[in-house]
Amino acid sequence: MLRVGLTGGIGSGKSEAGRRLAAHGAVLLDADKAARAVVEPGTPGLARIAETFGPGVLREDGSLDRAKLAQIVFADDAARGKLNAIVHPLVQDHMLAAEQAAVQASGDGAVIVHDVPLLAEGGRGKEFDLVIVVDVPPEVQLERLAARGMPADQARARMAAQATRDERLAVADIVIDNSGTLEALDRRVSDVWTTLQSRASGRRDTT
Ligand code: ADP
C-alpha cells in the first residue's frame, strides 16, 4: 500500500488531479467528506452529538443542523472541544476503515490518495509515504477561480490565507504542473500514476 497526500492551493486543480488519479485506480479519500459521513442520520456520531448538544441541533428530518451546531461551538471553546472529541476519532476510524477496505480490494499494491487542502499549512507531510503538490502560478489560480465565478478580491484573500507557492513546493515529492491544458494534465497524471504504482509494489522509479 502507498499512502499519498495530495495538495495544492485553491484553484490549482487538485480536485481535477484527484479525479484523474481515482480514474486510474487510486482510492481517493477526503477528510471533509468523512466528517460529513460520520454524522449522517442514523449514525452513532449524530446520536452522540444530539445527546451532548440537545435535540435543537437536529432538523425535523433528523439530519444535523450545521448552522445551529456552528452557533453553539463558535464562541465556546469547551463545546468545540466536546464536538471535536466526538467527531475526530470517528473520522480517523472512517479513514482507517476505508484504507483497509482498499487494501482488501486491491492488495498490497493499493494506492490511497488523501485529498488534503491544507497539508503544507498543517505540517502534515510526514503522515504520508509521498506528497504530491498540484502547482500553478498565482495568476493562473486567479484566472481559474474567476472562471468558476469567484470574485477576484475573495480569491486573493483565500490565497493569502494559504501557504505560499514556495512553501507548498517545499513539501512536494512529486509536483504536477497544471498550468497547461486539461489534456496535458491527463498525460502528466498518467505518468505520475505509473510512478505511484511502482512505488506501491515496492519498486523505485522517479518521475
Ligand atoms: P482545486 O480543487 O485545486 O481548488 P479544481 O480542480 O476545482 O481546483 O480546479 C479549479 C477550476 O479550474 C475548476 O473549474 C477546474 O475545472 C479548472 N481547471 C483545473 N485544471 C485546469 C486546466 N488545466 N485547464 C483549464 N481549467 C482547469
Side-chain angles (χ1 to χ4, degrees):
M1 168 174 85
L2 187 72
R3 298 178 72 254
V4 177
L6 174 68
T7 195
I10 181 170
S12 62
K14 178 176 61 65
S15 309
E16 294 283 1
R19 269 199 289 280
R20 283 163 173 73
L21 287 168
H24 280 287
V27 174
L28 192 59
L29 299 182
D30 175 336
D32 289 343
K33 276 201 192 124
R36 288 193 291 274
V38 299
V39 298
E40 292 270 298
T43 56
L46 186 56
R48 287 193 53 202
I49 288 176
E51 257 167 47
T52 308
F53 298 99
V57 298
L58 297 181
R59 296 179 195 278
E60 270 179 24
D61 65 2
S63 65
L64 182 61
D65 189 335
R66 286 168 196 285
K68 277 264 173 60
L69 184 61
Q71 252 172 27
I72 295 174
V73 300
F74 178 68
D76 182 343
D77 288 348
R80 195 162 52 246
K82 276 187 197 165
L83 178 62
N84 286 338
I86 296 171
V87 174
H88 280 180
L90 293 171
V91 170
Q92 297 262 304
D93 288 352
H94 186 91
M95 303 285 264
L96 199 64
E99 288 196 347
Q100 280 163 355
V103 170
Q104 288 219 313
S106 338
D108 289 342
V111 177
I112 312 219
V113 176
H114 286 261
D115 181 325
V116 188
L118 302 181
L119 186 150
E121 292 79 351
R124 296 187 49 196
K126 290 197 179 63
E127 291 173 32
F128 304 100
D129 298 319
L130 191 147
V131 171
I132 298 179
V133 171
V134 181
D135 178 60
V136 294
E139 55 274 18
V140 175
Q141 271 177 289
L142 283 169
E143 227 170 73
R144 293 200 181 138
L145 290 171
R148 212 161 59 173
M150 189 182 291
D153 52 347
Q154 198 180 325
R156 277 202 194 86
R158 296 226 184 161
M159 285 165 57
Q162 295 191 336
T164 63
R165 187 180 185 191
D166 285 347
E167 285 164 347
R168 213 176 284 109
L169 288 172
V171 301
D173 297 298
I174 293 179
V175 176
I176 293 181
D177 170 13
N178 184 30
S179 53
T181 61
L182 285 170
E183 290 69 30
L185 179 64
D186 286 342
R187 289 192 292 275
R188 175 67 180 139
V189 170
S190 277
D191 288 347
V192 167
W193 176 247
T194 306
T195 303
L196 297 183
Q197 274 186 307
S198 22
R199 285 287 301 266
S201 56
R203 292 190 300 274
R204 294 244 154 205
D205 4 280
T206 47
T207 296

